[in-house]
Amino acid sequence: MRAIDLIAKKRDRESLTTDEITWLVEHYTQEDVPDYQMSAFVMAVYLNGMTRKETADLTLAMARSGEQLDLSDIGDYWVDKHSSGGVGDKTTLIVLPLVASCGVPVAKMSGRGLGMSGGTIDKLESIPGYRVDLSADEFKQLARDNGIVLSGQSLALAPADGKIYALRDVTATVASKPLIASSIMSKKIAAGANGIVLDVKVGRGAFMSNLDDARELAQIMVDIGADAGRDVIAILSDMNQPLGSAIGNALEVKESVETLSGGGAADLREHCLMIAGFMLQLAGRGQRWQDESAVRALLEEKISDGSAVAKLRQMVVAQGGDGSVIDDVTQLPAAKHRHVVTAGQRGVIHRADAENFSRAAFELGAGREKKGDPINMAVGVECHVKVGDGVEVGAPLATVHYDNAEKLQACLHWLDTAFEIALQPCLPLPLFYEIIRSDR
Ligand code: URA
């Protein structure tokens, strides 16, 4: 086989066979196919798309390009989650301990953030000592001992995706649905999950700004999962306004601890109960936990009796972190100063723009522009209102946690235009739009 023929086939809108896709991915991983040919191939995919079968073949070829985690000796069904990324999205930090506290083991690898705010792994690093660089043996051992482990993405897993993603990043080919879907699902499949809950965000602060695109992406991922023999539930959730209140690494850990302890913002709590509920439903597979109200009651009990937050503490300590931070969140890194943004008029919140919040947090130093850039763990923004809330003049809309006055000004530039307040009534935004399930 020759890469040039496969590129030409995709350029001419023909479909590639399983063998052809497998060959291309294998030879690219082994560096027999050079970057410039793979760049041409992904551009052809970007322009001409892929069939369902091609997308599944690409996913499996990437999943098989490196190590594949086999957790079957320590549990017969593993459930995982993935979020397509949103502003203030600290769901993993809450949902993982919550699900594990119900006796369903979770072993998850998460990514760092590129762009406006940190990823799950960055957030966890605001806990002194927390290790995200576990070896495969340590990862499995903790999964076996504690039923919960949350580490950084191993480079040994789906290395073809890492290489192809790096090319996409610099060739304007990231925003292709089959490429995004295969990239995400290859890592989930290589990480050994049997059941996967996908939290696909829609709106101003998300990858997918409209429902049609998000639905199509979610359906592709659900189909890939089904074709690969996994159970998948995709939830299309709103990302027009921040999820919960906090945006920024240590602030998000604090809000996660509060939510696991029974407090936290109502939307965040509801969102997490929903995602955790679907994870339990998958783990129960037609036997246990099909009764939604029983699932919810169990999850609420684990929050109110302290088991969920205790599970987070156990995970933190097991991974070298300082558990006393979970008992007393004031020990987390804190910014030097606070600035409160207030309402200039009375009325109803019509917009609390997720994208503006994400840019505001970025200006403070909460995110990174390029791989390896340092992140300020302490800074960030808290949003105190949701669309549909009524406010009086002078009501607090947001609190900025900042270290540097110049950065505060840049942040305020975004917050000044983040809100729209009007006298007419406005309905709250829905938390979820649709649920798509694999029909295995
Ligand atoms: N996240 C991924 O892992 N891959 C993509 O292509 C996009 C988002």
Side-chain angles (χ1 to χ4, degrees):
M1 254 181 247
R2 299 190 315 160
I4 188 171
D5 300 325
L6 306 186
I7 297 166
K9 235 177 141 175
K10 193 42 47 199
R11 179 200 63 199
D12 297 339
R13 296 171 196 268
E14 289 173 44
S15 296
L16 270 61
T17 65
T18 305
D19 285 349
E20 286 169 335
I21 289 178
T22 307
W23 182 91
L24 186 63
V25 171
E26 272 176 10
H27 284 76
Y28 180 59
T29 311
Q30 292 159 10
E31 301 188 351
D32 297 336
V33 168
D35 282 349
Y36 53 82
Q37 284 190 308
M38 190 49 112
S39 300
F41 180 75
V42 291
M43 181 57 83
V45 172
Y46 179 93
L47 295 172
N48 295 331
M50 276 187 147
T51 64
R52 172 170 174 165
K53 182 161 179 309
E54 284 177 301
T55 312
D57 287 341
L58 176 62
T59 308
L60 289 183
M62 292 197 296
R64 291 182 190 129
S65 65
E67 268 175 32
Q68 292 185 78
L69 213 56
D70 181 4
L71 301 169
S72 60
D73 51 334
I74 49 173
D76 68 343
Y77 194 90
W78 290 85
V79 58
D80 199 352
K81 73 165 279 281
H82 175 84
S83 160
S84 63
V87 183
D89 186 3
K90 67 282 290 176
T91 310
T92 294
L93 298 179
I94 300 165
V95 156
L96 247 63
L98 188 50
V99 167
S101 71
C102 296
V104 170
V106 281
K108 178 165 168 57
M109 293 186 189
S110 275
R112 291 193 183 278
L114 242 198
M116 298 305 160
S117 59
T120 300
I121 289 306
D122 300 307
K123 294 169 197 175
L124 281 164
E125 280 185 337
S126 65
I127 301 172
Y130 190 91
R131 283 186 54 219
V132 298
D133 58 343
L134 303 177
S135 68
D137 286 346
E138 286 174 309
F139 186 84
K140 266 185 100 160
Q141 188 68 41
L142 290 178
R144 179 184 291 117
D145 292 348
N146 300 335
I148 185 165
V149 56
L150 177 50
S151 82
Q153 189 74 44
S154 158
L155 292 178
L157 242 58
D161 170 63
K163 275 169 69 78
I164 294 172
Y165 191 86
L167 282 187
R168 288 167 56 209
D169 212 16
V170 292
T171 55
T173 49
V174 168
S176 147
K177 291 187 192 97
L179 294 178
I180 295 173
S182 54
S183 164
I184 291 171
M185 292 302 286
S186 66
K187 287 174 286 216
K188 294 286 129 193
I189 290 169
N194 306 90
I196 304 160
V197 175
L198 299 169
D199 183 4
V200 181
K201 308 286 190 192
V202 195
R204 302 240 340 126
F207 236 149
M208 298 287 141
S209 57
N210 71 68
L211 198 52
D212 287 343
D213 284 338
R215 186 186 296 116
E216 198 183 326
L217 177 65
Q219 187 68 59
I220 296 172
M221 290 195 283
V222 168
D223 290 345
I224 292 172
D227 292 350
R230 317 294 157 121
D231 303 309
V232 189
I233 298 179
I235 295 151
L236 305 188
S237 59
D238 183 75
M239 190 31 72
N240 285 297
Q241 62 187 348
L243 181 60
S245 161
I247 303 117
N249 300 284
L251 290 172
E252 292 191 42
V253 171
K254 176 170 171 279
E255 189 176 26
S256 302
V257 173
E258 287 163 0
T259 306
L260 281 170
S261 309
D267 65 326
L268 177 63
R269 176 183 163 95
E270 188 56 35
H271 183 88
C272 290
L273 285 171
M274 181 93 165
I275 302 282
F278 282 128
M279 289 171 78
L280 291 194
Q281 276 185 24
L282 284 181
R285 279 166 301 148
Q287 300 136 41
R288 296 174 292 163
W289 297 330
Q290 296 316 299
D291 174 353
E292 267 179 47
S293 57
V295 166
R296 170 162 286 245
L298 178 66
L299 292 168
E300 285 177 343
E301 183 192 312
K302 295 299 176 191
I303 291 176
S304 60
D305 72 6
S307 323
V309 76
K311 203 73 198 171
L312 174 68
R313 195 183 194 288
Q314 183 189 34
M315 178 185 91
V316 165
V317 172
Q319 293 189 220
D322 179 354
S324 69
V325 163
I326 307 301
D327 308 326
D328 174 13
V329 287
T330 62
Q331 289 184 48
L332 283 163
K336 293 189 197 114
H337 312 288
R338 311 257 189 290
H339 174 94
V340 180
V341 176
T342 56
Q345 64 176 97
R346 80 177 273 275
V348 177
I349 304 287
H350 281 236
R351 187 171 59 86
D353 199 300
E355 191 182 354
N356 284 52
F357 271 93
S358 127
R359 289 182 184 275
F362 181 72
E363 295 290 0
L364 298 171
R368 59 169 72 81
E369 209 159 339
K370 40 183 208 311
K371 232 170 142 177
D373 280 355
I375 267 189
N376 185 334
M377 293 295 171
V379 297
V381 186
E382 285 173 285
C383 176
H384 303 303
V385 289
K386 296 281 162 193
V387 169
D389 287 353
V391 290
E392 297 297 329
V393 175
L397 300 178
T399 301
V400 182
H401 297 246
Y402 70 101
D403 279 342
N404 169 313
E406 227 172 273
K407 292 188 173 174
L408 170 68
Q409 289 316 314
C411 163
L412 290 178
H413 164 78
W414 292 105
L415 289 185
D416 285 347
T417 50
F419 298 99
E420 193 182 314
I421 302 175
L423 287 174
Q424 306 90 296
C426 176
L427 288 174
L429 288 169
L431 277 182
F432 305 103
Y433 295 99
E434 274 171 43
I435 293 157
I436 302 172
R437 292 170 189 264
S438 56
D439 47 9
R440 290 194 336 115

